[in-house]
Amino acid sequence: MLEAALRAVGAVCYHDLHPFNDMLHDGKLNKGQVQAWALNRYVYQAAIPRKAVDLVADRSPLPS
């Protein structure tokens, strides 16, 4: 049931449906926009291992 609910959200809200993603792949962004996207993507990806450690250690990554 949870999986179905998550898939339903993903079907309408996933990043590949966002207009920015279309502009990125169509080459319609300027250099600064692509640089900002790359930095944002790096920061997001770099945080994944820290979040995984928190989950495995049963710690909340958010302050209480």
Side-chain angles (χ1 to χ4, degrees):
M1 183 144 171
L2 175 60
E3 180 181 352
L6 291 172
R7 289 187 183 278
V9 169
V12 295
C13 295
Y14 205 62
H15 73 277
D16 66 336
L17 302 173
H18 195 279
F20 183 89
N21 192 65
D22 290 337
M23 293 187 322
L24 175 67
H25 289 279
D26 291 342
K28 295 179 179 175
L29 300 180
N30 64 40
K31 183 178 178 178
Q33 290 170 312
V34 175
Q35 288 174 325
W37 173 84
L39 177 59
N40 184 18
R41 183 75 179 170
Y42 172 79
V43 171
Y44 172 78
Q45 292 293 326
I48 291 174
R50 291 192 303 272
K51 292 177 184 179
V53 167
D54 287 335
L55 289 172
V56 170
D58 197 25
R59 298 184 305 222
S60 172
L62 302 174
S64 329

